[in-house]
């Protein structure tokens, strides 16, 4: 336990309490069970009462915090025990102080009670004291005279916290919120009369949703009832059966024993806290005096309270029989349930409202154990999850179906899902669509688990009802061994969830205006740290349930994490008043929830709900005991939910506005100003994000008003619903493969068995219009060929040209790397599901998709799509379009069936020559059948000359052909305006990229009057393009020209095309001078894009703009081709224009035969040579295992050095990528892999020193053995420290070094001693505990947080377990410790050899070290007046999307950097 001296009590007291907590947890949970670390703390532990303001958590102790705490101490970590052993730490929200304070107060209670001035005060003090002893210290007090004794006693008690409000309704809901936040009751004190009645709505909510609340209502004495007395109403059983307990206390008197008061309070508390929890009501009649007026009373009524006065416990303690273990024997009924779960083939885990963080953990563990699809309600705490690693979506252990509500929009999906067993945790389900589905699906078994006994089964489908806690049920089930079943049913559900998720993400981000679904989708941004959410009713909670983002970014403060022991996320608590689901009291409840949970709360409510509870703003001003709140009000000026109900279709707008929407123009900002609450008005997406960031930074309560409109909101919801339903249906039909395909498992369970590429060179008929090419007009590229079993092949093409950022060398380097990783990969992708192919690149190949060059990614996707089409014996267009694009819309099905499978092609013309020559060339193209031509402009002296060409074309050809102009950003704004003014009357279809600066584009649209198209502007959009495309929604931009090989593949191109269609723009697919292999694929892709445009037009009820001529006219440039076959492109007899048919394109690829005469060379796979060399040193010798690739005669030699626990095989993919550029060699360092240190006797072995310096000396000897030339050393981590030693050795064999996550050592002796002790302790741990346990401990460190999230992590760990000699390994760990290494910081000043220092973007520690290294080298250069040379000697590279293990996490940028480093060395 790490002690914090900021708390008031002693360390010893905390140790005792920790032991008490731990003993109780151990008594409740089986220590051998895998779920023992999820144990739950209770608020009452042993004899102590703990003030619990948050849930206590069992977490893993970061033992290194102790070791690193103070560099000046000699603190050492002798053993670092990890694995399954857990240590307790209390969270920052768990306080120990209450029991200490109570001890000091206990002796004062008797004297205080006896000092009360009258019997009313004494009774009231006894009631308050007993509530405090029960742990109920939060009092909500409404002003009133009759309740004065209670109010005075509550406010006078030293351990109470009191809050007041003039509105009893708000106060009651505030108490409900408090109880919801901490699962303990608040005490509500009111006067008599209608003050009590005002509590009724909150009592109903508390009763329906099992929230404990204690109501102390003051009343008139019996003699004043039925006598016309003021404020005297019948308060007996006032709340009927909505309270769990009622007692009518008589007026205080000293003739009755005070014990009766205490037992009444205790009984009420027990009933409030016992399942089913809920409100309890004690009616307290008082006679006057109601203040502290003296009126004598007898202490005889206190008889029997001696024991009570001496301690600080409640008078009556209700004790339960606690089972010794949660894993006891099962009853026959539970065994029946377990048997049902074991036999389930299509089991669905449905999670309703879950209130406690411990229960969320228990449910997550249960979900992992069951391995069933999980449908989590928004109130479950698991619908929105805060991630703990980089890529939680890829964790296959828990199958979250976040968008089940939206998936069920498809009738096809609804009838297909049909689970056979449903297990529901928690009662409340928000989605009405889900409830209707449950009514119709009739599973054979429906098991409902909740703590209360009430029948929460509105669909009447529950077959087994278990009353128990979530934790107990999860613990019981996790003890059972369940067969982990994987099924196609689950796989399809996961795909459908991804499909719907991507569809929702696309629509909420592509819509430029601020919509309510967008707010629901991004509102999780407000849940930073431990923040939680309170959500209102009506549309707000439904939108959050439908559109809320499943995974939220979560910033942690590091710390160690054990592998595979806990889920990769934490639940994001979301609460709401769903007991009666009213819109009253929501703001007050949220404020109470903030107090009870002691967390920062983001409250999201609608405008009508907010206006219904504006008195809650008075509570917002009282912040004695809570963190600041952000209240987000969705203001659509009325009740938007009615716009979705059937009444909206049959009722006049006037009636709807007045009696249903209750439209208003109330100023929320002025209401906030009246209550002195800060207010923000938000009307755009940017304003929303900026405001959320601002509220995070400011520790103030604030109201954020998000303005919207009912009609626009309803239309947007309708649009999303139609697209989602259609998409889900379309993909389900594709995945099921229609009625004829039965072998579902064979569809994707296929592997890529072989991959090769061929370098081709063909002749063009003219220079490319994109830039200068050589005099022979040659064009080159790579044809990719993927092969599956049964000789199924798929072709792709990669052919970068001038417009690409990469060149042919870059491309081939990446292809060689990919080929090593792709072989034997399982191809489990869904075509054009956005992210599916990128996910495959990440999960299967282990490379961030963003690091793959756009042309390479395009070529790889092309090959995969063609491979899938070949496997499924259909065309690529069928793979892309699916079988049924519109749910139940037969007219569109017939419409699509009647559409031609021909796509139109736009001719391309490089408009050199006189205006007449160009016009005649266009006339010839028109005669050939082209309906559209694109002219290159901006290449003449002035825009006027280009305008003259356009004018001449219209003069010669007329208007029977569409003209597109492409300026390729060659004009200034003024030149483009001049061109526009001259050609405005000639009806250009559009001018493509007219201005050099993208900032002038919108201004040009507005001032020129010409329609504009995007091309280069979309080529360089990094990351998700949709948000960046919002700047181009202007209606003057009418088209988007999309080159798949430039934008980064077909997925990304389809995504951009869909955005264009949604904004009523043309999507033009364009080639970049690819051969017919690429063109044939583009033709089928363009057909898919056209069909998607038809779909969008139908759903948006727009007229289609007709056929689009795609930019595939580069086929005219192909004098030669990679195949002897001819790709058919022709003008059909019906006169639809020059085009190509899908059937012809498919046939071309299906029968493709490569012309070997056009192939320069072919690459399939390179073998790595392995050999050993004996190397002798001063201290020891070792047999080095080496791996080598590349030409052995190449004078460029690279030596790779791995890190601790690594081997030479870590570098294999990079070696294959670099082998054309250099001779590449990797070694197994001493103690690693197959290298061996010759055995000596124990005494000599212990004296042997395997330091960084000695290893560096050995490797220098090795270099002399294997090459006569110079070597570039590339080292990672420990290997980088060795490489730096070698580079600083002044040895002429070293020409340079590349240091990856390396360090020159530690500057200070104290730090070196400490680190040496740590590594020595680790080495001892390795010997004593074995390699398996050591590896788990090693990779649990904070430094490996990023690597743990990498999909190749498990595979990497398996290779680490292959080390056979842990004695040598432990020796190397201790001897080569950075603590034993000589500090090289001073030596850096004398650096003579070039260094490239590489670090990962996420590796903060080594980024700082790298920056300091560069600074040291450059500063010395400045002093020596050789600044320029020193600058060249040292360069630093930060690799994105990577942590410490750069070469594993993001290797492609590193490969390119190594090659360029070599080139630079050899140039100099």
């Amino acid at each position: 336990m790490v002690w914090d001296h900021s708390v008031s009590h002693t360390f010893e007291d905390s140790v005792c309490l920790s032991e008490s907590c731990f003993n109780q947890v151990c008594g409740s949970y089986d220590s051998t069970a895998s779920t023992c670390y999820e144990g739950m703390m209770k608020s009452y532990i042993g004899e102590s009462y703990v003030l619990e303001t948050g849930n206590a958590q069992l977490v893993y102790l970061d033992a290194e915090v102790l070791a690193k705490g103070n560099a000046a101490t000699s603190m050492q970590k002798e053993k670092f025990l990890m694995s399954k052993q857990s240590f307790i730490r209390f969270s920052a929200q768990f306080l120990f102080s209450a029991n200490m304070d109570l001890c000091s107060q206990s002796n004062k209670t008797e004297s205080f009670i006896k000092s009360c001035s009258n019997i009313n005060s004494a009774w009231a003090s006894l009631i308050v004291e007993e509530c405090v002893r029960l742990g109920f210290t939060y009092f909500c007090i409404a002003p009133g005279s009759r309740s004065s004794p209670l109010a005075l006693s509550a406010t006078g008690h030293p351990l109470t916290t009191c809050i007041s409000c003039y509105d009893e309704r708000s106060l009651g809901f505030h108490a409900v919120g408090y109880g919801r936040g901490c699962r303990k009751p608040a005490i509500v004190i009111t006067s008599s009369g209608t003050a009590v009645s005002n509590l009724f709505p909150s009592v109903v909510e508390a009763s329906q949703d099992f929230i404990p609340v204690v109501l102390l209502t003051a009343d008139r004495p019996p003699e004043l009832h039925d006598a016309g007395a003021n404020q005297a109403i019948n308060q007996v059983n006032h709340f009927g059966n909505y309270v769990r307990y009622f007692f009518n206390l008589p007026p205080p008197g000293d003739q009755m024993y005070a014990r009766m008061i205490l037992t009444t309070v205790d009984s009420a508390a027990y009933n409030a806290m016992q399942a089913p929890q809920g409100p309890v009501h004690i009616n307290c009649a008082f006679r006057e005096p109601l203040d502290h007026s003296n009126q004598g009373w007898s202490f005889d009524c206190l008889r029997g309270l001696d024991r009570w006065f001496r301690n600080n416990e409640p008078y009556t303690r209700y004790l339960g029989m606690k089972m010794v273990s949660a894993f006891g024997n099962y009853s026959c009924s539970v065994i029946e349930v377990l048997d049902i779960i074991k036999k389930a083939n299509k089991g669905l885990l449905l999670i309703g409202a879950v209130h406690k963080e411990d229960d969320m953990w228990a449910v997550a563990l249960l979900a992992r154990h069951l391995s069933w699809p999980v449908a989590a309600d928004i109130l479950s705490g698991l619908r929105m999850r805060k991630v703990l690693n980089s890529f939680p979506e890829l964790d296959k252990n828990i199958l979250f179906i976040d968008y089940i509500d939206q998936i069920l929009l498809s009738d096809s999906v609804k009838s297909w899902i049909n689970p056979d067993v449903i297990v529901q945790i928690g009662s409340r389900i928000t989605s009405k669509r889900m409830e209707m589905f449950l009514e119709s699906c009739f599973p054979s078994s429906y098991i409902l688990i909740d703590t209360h006994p009430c029948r929460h089964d509105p669909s009447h489908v529950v077959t087994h009802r278990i009353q128990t806690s979530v934790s107990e049920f999860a613990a019981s089930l996790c003890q059972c061994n369940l067969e982990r079943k994987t099924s196609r049913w689950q796989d399809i559900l996961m795909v459908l969830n991804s499909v719907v998720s991507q569809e929702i993400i696309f629509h909420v981000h592509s819509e430029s205006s601020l919509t309510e679904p967008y707010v629901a989708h991004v509102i999780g941004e407000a849940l930073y740290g431990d923040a939680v959410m309170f959500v209102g009713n009506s549309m707000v909670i439904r939108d959050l349930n439908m559109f809320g983002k499943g995974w939220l970014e979560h910033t942690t403060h590091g710390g160690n994490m054990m592998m595979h022991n806990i889920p990769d996320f934490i639940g994001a608590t979301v609460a709401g008043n769903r007991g009666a689901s009213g819109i009253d009291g929501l703001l007050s409840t949220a404020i109470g929830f903030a107090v009870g949970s002691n967390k920062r709360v983001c409250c999201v409510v609608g405008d009508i709900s907010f206006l219904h509870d504006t008195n809650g703003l008075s509570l917002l001003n009282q912040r004695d005991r809570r963190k600041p709140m952000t209240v987000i009000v969705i203001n659509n000026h009325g009740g938007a939910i009615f716009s979705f109900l059937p009444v909206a279709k049959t009722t006049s707008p006037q009636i709807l506005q007045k009696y249903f929407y209750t439209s208003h123009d109330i100023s929320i900002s002025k209401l906030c100003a009246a209550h002195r609450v800060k207010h923000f008005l938000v009307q755009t997406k940017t304003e929303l994000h900026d405001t959320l960031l601002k509220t995070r930074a400011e520790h103030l309560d604030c109201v954020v008003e998000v303005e919207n409109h009912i009609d626009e909101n309803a239309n947007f919801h309708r649009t999303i619903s139609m697209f989602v339903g259609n998409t889900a249906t379309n993909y389900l039909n594709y995945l099921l493969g229609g009625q004829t395909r039965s072998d579902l498992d064979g569809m994707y369970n296929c592997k890529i068995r072989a991959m090769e590429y061929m370098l081709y060179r063909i002749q063009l008929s003219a220079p490319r219009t994109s830039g200068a090419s050589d005099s022979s007009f040659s064009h080159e590229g790579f044809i990719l060929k993927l092969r599956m079993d049964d000789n199924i092949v798929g072709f792709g093409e990669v052919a970068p040209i001038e417009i690409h950022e990469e060149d042919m060398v870059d491309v081939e380097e990446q292809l060689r790397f990919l080929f090593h990783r792709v072989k034997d990969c399982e191809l489990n992708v869904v075509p054009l599901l956005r992210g599916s192919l990128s996910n495959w690149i990440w999960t299967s190949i282990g490379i961030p998709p963003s690091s793959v060059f756009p042309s390479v990614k395009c070529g790889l996707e092309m090959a995969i799509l063609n491979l899938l089409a070949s496997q499924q014996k259909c065309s690529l267009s069928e793979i892309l379009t699916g079988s049924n694009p519109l749910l139940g819309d037969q007219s569109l099905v017939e419409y699509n069936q009647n559409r031609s499978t021909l796509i139109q092609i736009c001719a391309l013309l490089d408009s050199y020559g006189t205006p007449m020559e160009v016009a005649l060339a266009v006339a010839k193209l028109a005669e050939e059948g082209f309906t559209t031509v694109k002219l290159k402009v901006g290449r003449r002296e002035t825009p006027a000359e280009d305008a003259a060409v356009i004018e001449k074309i219209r003069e010669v050809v007329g208007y029977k052909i569409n003209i597109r102009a492409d300026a390729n950003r060659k004009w200034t704004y003024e030149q483009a305006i001049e061109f526009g003014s001259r050609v405005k009357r000639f009806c250009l279809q559009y001018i493509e990229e007219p201005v050099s600066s993208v900032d002038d584009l919108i201004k040009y649209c507005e001032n020129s009057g010409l329609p504009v198209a995007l091309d280069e502007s979309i080529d360089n959009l990094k990351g998700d393009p949709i948000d960046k495309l919002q700047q181009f929604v202007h209606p003057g931009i009418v088209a988007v020209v999309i080159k798949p090989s430039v934008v980064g593949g077909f997925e990304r191109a389809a995504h951009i095309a869909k955005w264009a269609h949604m904004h009523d723009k043309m999507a033009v697919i364009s080639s970049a001078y690819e051969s017919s292999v690429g063109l044939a694929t583009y033709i089928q892709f363009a057909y898919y894009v056209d069909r998607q445009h038809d779909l969008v037009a139908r759903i948006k009820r727009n007229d289609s703009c007709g056929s689009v001529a795609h930019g595939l006219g580069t086929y005219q440039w192909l004098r030669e081709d990679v195949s002897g076959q001819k790709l058919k492109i022709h003008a059909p007899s019906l006169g639809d224009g020059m085009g190509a048919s899908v059937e012809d394109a498919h046939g071309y690829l299906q029968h493709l035969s490569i012309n070997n005469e056009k192939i320069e060379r072919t690459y399939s796979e390179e073998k790595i040579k392995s050999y050993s060399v004996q190397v002798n040193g001063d201290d020891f010798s070792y047999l080095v295992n080496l791996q080598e690739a590349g030409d052995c005669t190449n004078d460029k030699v690279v030596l790779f050095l791995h890190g601790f626990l690594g081997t030479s095989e870590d570098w294999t993919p990079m070696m294959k990528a670099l082998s054309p550029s250099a001779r590449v060699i990797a070694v197994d360092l001493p103690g690693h892999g197959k290298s061996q240190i010759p055995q000596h006797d124990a005494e000599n072995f212990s004296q042997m020193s395997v330091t960084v310096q000695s290893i560096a000396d050995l490797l220098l000897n090795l270099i002399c053995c294997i090459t006569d030339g110079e070597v570039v050393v590339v080292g990672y981590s420990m290997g980088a420290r060795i490489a730096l030693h070698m580079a600083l050795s002044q040895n002429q064999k070293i020409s340079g070094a590349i240091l990856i996550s390396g360090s020159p050592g530690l500057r200070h002796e104290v730090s070196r001693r400490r680190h040496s002790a740590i590594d020595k302790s680790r080495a001892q741990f390795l010997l004593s505990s074995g390699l398996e346990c050591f590896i788990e401990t090693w990779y649990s460190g904070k430094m490996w947080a990023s690597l743990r999230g990498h999909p190749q992590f498990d595979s990497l760990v398996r290779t680490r377990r292959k080390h056979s000699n842990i004695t040598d390994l432990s020796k190397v760990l201790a001897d080569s410790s950075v603590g034993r290494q000589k500090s090289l910081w001073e030596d850096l000043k004398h650096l003579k050899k070039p260094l490239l220092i590489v670090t990962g973007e996420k590796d903060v520690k080594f980024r700082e070290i790298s920056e300091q290294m560069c600074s040291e080298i450059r500063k010395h250069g400045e002093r020596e007046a050789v600044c320029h040379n020193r600058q060249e000697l040292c360069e630093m590279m930060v690799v994105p999307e990577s942590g410490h293990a750069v070469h594993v996490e993001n290797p492609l940028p590193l490969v390119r950097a190594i090659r360029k480093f070599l080139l630079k060395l050899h140039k100099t």
Side-chain angles (χ1 to χ4, degrees), residues 672-791:
C672 292
H675 289 84
R676 298 184 302 281
V677 175
K678 194 161 187 175
H679 171 271
F680 297 96
L681 178 63
V682 166
Q683 295 175 311
T684 67
K685 291 180 177 180
T686 302
E687 288 176 353
L688 176 64
H689 288 277
D690 291 345
T691 303
L692 289 178
L693 288 173
K694 190 179 296 184
T695 60
R696 178 187 300 190
E698 295 182 8
H699 295 279
L700 295 172
D701 295 318
C702 61
V703 173
V704 178
E705 179 186 354
V706 180
E707 198 166 45
N708 210 277
H709 300 283
I710 290 178
D711 292 338
E712 294 175 4
N713 179 51
N715 288 335
F716 190 63
H717 273 80
R718 182 193 69 83
T719 299
I720 290 182
S721 295
M722 290 190 70
F723 274 107
V724 165
N726 294 326
T727 301
T729 299
N730 197 23
Y731 273 93
L732 178 66
N733 288 341
Y734 172 77
L735 292 168
L736 295 178
Q739 302 298 318
T740 59
R741 187 177 293 149
S742 58
D743 183 16
L744 298 179
D745 291 334
M747 285 179 62
Y748 300 107
N749 295 337
C750 49
K751 290 187 176 182
I752 298 174
R753 296 301 183 188
M755 182 172 178
E756 65 181 53
Y757 67 77
M758 295 160 274
L759 172 65
Y760 72 80
R761 181 172 286 116
I762 56 177
Q763 294 300 309
L764 303 179
S765 58
R768 291 188 294 263
T769 61
S770 54
S773 54
D774 61 37
S775 57
S776 63
F777 296 172
S778 66
H779 175 72
E780 59 183 9
F782 296 101
I783 298 296
L784 313 186
K785 185 177 180 182
L786 302 183
R787 186 185 302 276
M788 289 182 184
D789 291 331
D790 301 325
N791 204 32

Side-chain angles (χ1 to χ4, degrees), residues 571-587:
T573 301
V574 179
N577 279 355
R578 296 301 287 175
S581 300
I583 64 167
D584 46 349
L586 292 174
L587 179 59

